[in-house]
Amino acid sequence: MNKGQFIVIEGLEGAGKSTALETLKECLTKQGIDFIATREPGGTPLAEQLRDILKHYQDEAITAQSELLLMYAARSQLVENVIKPALNQGKWVLGDRHDLSSRAYQGGGRQISMDTLNQLRDLTLGNFRPALTLYLDIDPVKGLARAKARGQLDRIEQQQLDFFKRARAVYLDEVTRNPQCIKIDAGQSLDDVQQSIRKIVTNFLHKPSYDY
Ligand code: TMP
């Protein structure tokens, strides 16, 4: 493969995304692949300010619609100003979350219709999609306990358990519909999770590249 590829890690809070990203980085480094890492919301100066608002703003209630629009505003900045230019230079991009998070959290969690989400996705991303998404599946009870143990919960992490159950259902549904989205059981031992990631990436490296 000589083209840049966009690989995304997804999952609920406490699923182990950071560790999974480190494993992914190791795999690409071993192959001599040049990559950048991004996170969503965030990854550009404006998108990082939006991230701060989305995670911590407390001065007034943020409506579900505003939350969704801010997520997409941040995503548009990142995709157009960072991700696409990197892919065009032949670099790979490792994304800590992408569009599927909006479908899970704002679609599932906040119960905004998939029609609305599809319209925003079309407007913001057109046909742009990750070549591969690794979804780390965790029972939200377990994931939230891990997130709590890490420290204070942010505005979104403070939602009720049902919010995360609905978000998980969207993730699980996506895995059944989209062959580019692969589920990893994040309840396994760390070693097993890392092994799964290495196997998936090795298989991916042998497939034809995604045409951006
Ligand atoms: P994290 O990536 O550090 O977990 O923080 C991002 C938070 O924002 C997390 O709670 C998930 C949430 N989120 C959404 O609700 N929708 C989105 O589209 C994205 C990218 C993140």
Side-chain angles (χ1 to χ4, degrees):
M1 278 188 197
N2 48 17
K3 278 188 178 166
Q5 298 288 303
F6 181 31
I7 303 183
V8 173
I9 297 267
E10 286 279 358
L12 296 179
E13 345 291 308
K17 282 186 295 115
S18 309
T19 317
L21 273 166
E22 288 313 309
T23 309
L24 255 179
K25 286 179 190 172
E26 270 168 34
C27 292
L28 297 194
T29 304
K30 263 193 198 154
Q31 298 290 329
I33 292 173
D34 194 10
F35 64 87
I36 61 162
T38 61
R39 66 174 181 182
E40 292 193 33
T44 81
L46 173 55
E48 283 295 322
Q49 288 196 28
L50 294 175
R51 178 185 178 87
D52 193 42
I53 291 170
L54 281 158
K55 282 176 84 90
H56 304 298
Y57 194 75
Q58 300 290 355
D59 293 355
E60 69 180 85
I62 298 182
T63 66
Q65 286 73 15
S66 294
E67 182 178 278
L68 176 69
L69 291 167
L70 291 173
M71 291 292 176
Y72 271 99
R75 181 161 304 128
S76 179
Q77 292 303 116
L78 180 69
V79 169
E80 297 303 326
N81 294 346
V82 176
I83 298 180
K84 283 184 180 173
L87 294 171
N88 285 336
Q89 288 167 20
K91 286 187 186 157
W92 287 42
V93 179
L94 298 187
D96 180 346
R97 298 191 182 281
H98 183 57
D99 190 60
L100 183 52
S101 281
S102 293
R103 301 174 81 76
Y105 284 78
Q106 281 67 52
R110 302 271 187 234
Q111 298 180 292
I112 293 175
S113 80
M114 283 296 158
D115 263 4
T116 302
L117 285 160
N118 288 341
Q119 282 175 23
L120 267 178
R121 179 165 75 178
D122 286 351
L123 173 74
T124 314
L125 301 172
N127 290 327
F128 181 79
R129 300 284 182 275
L132 176 70
T133 300
L134 303 181
Y135 162 57
L136 296 166
D137 183 53
I138 187 94
D139 176 343
V141 174
K142 211 167 166 181
L144 287 172
R146 280 189 195 167
K148 264 184 206 152
R150 274 199 307 245
Q152 223 181 357
L153 299 182
D154 68 30
R155 197 183 59 82
I156 295 173
E157 288 166 340
Q158 286 166 15
Q159 297 307 306
Q160 300 299 312
L161 182 60
D162 275 354
F163 174 101
F164 295 100
K165 285 187 176 167
R166 290 193 297 271
R168 185 191 197 191
V170 173
Y171 276 129
L172 289 172
D173 181 58
E174 179 73 11
V175 169
T176 65
R177 289 166 188 273
N178 180 356
Q180 264 93 41
C181 182
I182 300 176
K183 181 178 100 169
I184 294 170
D185 176 3
Q188 306 173 89
S189 72
L190 186 58
D191 259 8
D192 288 343
V193 171
Q194 288 177 323
Q195 280 291 78
S196 305
I197 293 171
R198 288 189 194 109
K199 222 189 258 173
I200 293 165
V201 173
T202 306
N203 284 341
F204 179 75
L205 288 166
H206 289 101
K207 282 189 188 156
S209 58
Y210 195 86
D211 204 8
Y212 284 104

